[in-house]
Amino acid sequence: MKENTYVVIMAGGIGSRFWPFSRVSHPKQFHDVFGTGESLLQTTFKRFKDICPPQNVYVVTHKDYASLVREHLPELSDNQILQEPIGRNTAPCIAYACYKIEKQNPNANIVVAPADHVILREEAFTNCLKEALQATSERDILVTLGIKPSRPDTNYGYIQFIDDEQNTLKKVKTFTEKPNLEIAQMFLDSGEFVWNAGIFIWNAKAIIKAFKAYLSDMADTFEEGHSALNSTEEENFISRAYSHCRNISIDYGVMEKADNVFVILGDFGWSDLGTWNSLYSLSEKTAEGNVIDGNTLLYDVHNCIVKTPANQLVVVQGLQDYIVAEYDNVLMICRREDEHKIKDFVADAKAIKGQNFI
């Protein structure tokens, strides 16, 4: 089955909630976030080594990051690096990759995953994927992975499923995007909801059929340029195609509308690593509850995350529950409970101080 299995890694996002560490010029997927010697993109690529051969892995990214992808994954050919001319959310990104793969192999079974997620138990993750791939090789269905929630988190989307104790592949009932705290708690208490991991599995025929049914304008665009894919005309076609594509996610555009969506519940130590607090929760802590990455002296500091350059000494005194983050030309000090304000910091930095600081 491996020769018909393909992996699409989405690596085009900026990761602004991780500012100032994640920047327009160098997003978080190209950083060694945990000090392991590998970027998030490199770790993600290695994660799929038992799922498909390396020549069946495609990375979709913004054209400005293509050289970074080549630097981090030199084993990829240029044909495996799909360059988006502009950011248009996940639906166009997935359409581009899936139409390209389908032209090469109409029997393709495809996994789509972001480049910046954390998976702590990779064997369990691989087993989930293999189960999903077996199902999508036999049926024209759209499968997503769901994570049993451990808290009423308002930063995640939720999937309600119809429980079938006889089957680990469960029919999806509803999708809900980032509920408020009260609703998230209700979801948690009901036992009928899981976090949406944003990892998808389907065969090429099923996803293209779904595009035709639910995003027909996008399907028409890629159908018209089908002959250009995997040819010297691909770059020119994609440049034109993206100017016609709506800015829409695959969740809104397809998954929430389709009636053949299923979820497999997974327990493999997942995090989308979307925020500083998610990094804090995943990282090893000192006796004082601090997460430290850098050359630091801390005095009376508790439950903080401090991520600073190794080539300078940073002294911090008297902080509790703070983020202290420095990268390049920006230092940010922010209460952990207020990390939702980072998007405002980024907007103000761009408007008041200029593009050089984002």
Side-chain angles (χ1 to χ4, degrees), residues 88-128:
R88 278 290 187 264
N89 217 314
T90 54
C93 156
I94 289 170
Y96 178 12
C98 289
Y99 271 92
K100 180 180 174 74
I101 291 169
E102 186 273 340
K103 184 180 179 185
Q104 179 181 331
N105 183 352
N107 297 316
N109 229 4
I110 303 169
V111 178
V112 179
D116 54 359
H117 286 189
V118 173
I119 306 291
L120 298 179
R121 295 186 286 280
E122 297 206 347
E123 184 177 353
F125 174 71
T126 299
N127 290 338
C128 267

Side-chain angles (χ1 to χ4, degrees), residues 35-317:
T36 61
E38 291 181 344
S39 67
L40 292 172
L41 176 60
Q42 290 169 324
T43 301
T44 301
F45 177 78
K46 287 177 63 176
R47 185 174 298 144
F48 295 104
K49 66 182 185 299
D50 292 331
I51 295 298
C52 74
Q55 64 268 23
N56 285 11
V57 177
Y58 290 82
V59 175
V60 190
T61 192
H62 191 279
K63 61 182 176 60
D64 290 348
Y65 305 144
S67 59
L68 280 171
V69 174
R70 292 189 190 98
E71 177 186 330
H72 285 244
L73 298 177
E75 51 268 84
L76 297 187
S77 69
D78 285 346
N79 186 55
Q80 292 172 267
I81 303 173
L82 281 56
Q83 301 183 44
E84 297 183 288
I86 49 178
R88 278 290 187 264
N89 217 314
T90 54
C93 156
I94 289 170
Y96 178 12
C98 289
Y99 271 92
K100 180 180 174 74
I101 291 169
E102 186 273 340
K103 184 180 179 185
Q104 179 181 331
N105 183 352
N107 297 316
N109 229 4
I110 303 169
V111 178
V112 179
D116 54 359
H117 286 189
V118 173
I119 306 291
L120 298 179
R121 295 186 286 280
E122 297 206 347
E123 184 177 353
F125 174 71
T126 299
N127 290 338
C128 267
L129 282 185
K130 288 180 177 178
E131 181 181 352
L133 287 163
Q134 184 63 46
T136 56
S137 69
E138 297 168 353
R139 302 165 62 187
D140 289 346
I141 57 176
L142 310 177
V143 178
T144 186
L145 300 186
I147 312 299
K148 184 177 180 181
S150 57
R151 60 189 182 276
D153 201 306
T154 59
N155 291 309
Y156 295 146
Y158 285 72
I159 300 170
Q160 184 181 24
F161 60 91
I162 299 171
D163 200 5
D164 177 4
E165 294 181 0
Q166 305 302 315
N167 201 335
T168 55
L169 188 71
K170 301 180 186 300
K171 189 82 164 60
V172 168
K173 189 174 181 180
T174 62
F175 286 86
T176 303
E177 280 295 316
K178 297 180 180 178
N180 62 37
L181 186 60
E182 182 181 359
I183 293 175
Q185 186 63 59
M186 288 172 54
F187 288 173
L188 190 69
D189 294 340
S190 76
E192 297 177 0
F193 290 81
V194 288
W195 287 333
N196 184 356
I199 299 168
F200 309 104
I201 306 94
W202 42 54
N203 66 57
K205 294 184 181 72
I207 189 58
I208 287 176
K209 184 178 179 181
F211 271 107
K212 289 178 179 178
Y214 308 111
L215 287 173
S216 58
D217 54 339
M218 202 173 294
D220 288 345
T221 297
F222 282 94
E223 292 285 342
E224 288 170 11
H226 196 255
S227 61
L229 295 173
N230 299 312
S231 79
T232 56
E233 294 300 313
E234 181 172 313
E235 183 178 349
N236 288 334
F237 160 64
I238 290 300
S239 183
R240 295 192 307 272
Y242 266 65
S243 67
H244 298 296
C245 286
R246 283 185 280 160
N247 187 328
I248 188 169
S249 71
I250 195 71
D251 298 90
Y252 281 124
V254 172
M255 302 299 282
E256 293 183 11
K257 297 181 176 72
D259 59 3
N260 61 335
V261 180
F262 291 80
V263 62
I264 290 179
L265 311 191
D267 182 14
F268 38 77
W270 170 88
S271 170
D272 73 347
L273 202 64
T275 64
W276 284 104
N277 274 327
S278 62
L279 177 59
Y280 178 85
S281 67
L282 288 164
S283 300
E284 185 176 346
K285 298 168 186 64
T286 68
E288 295 76 25
N290 298 313
V291 172
I292 305 166
D293 183 1
N295 187 11
T296 64
L297 288 173
L298 306 184
Y299 302 90
D300 191 25
V301 173
H302 301 275
N303 303 327
C304 290
I305 179 166
V306 182
K307 192 171 181 64
T308 57
N311 61 355
Q312 64 188 59
L313 177 64
V314 174
V315 182
V316 183
Q317 188 272 333

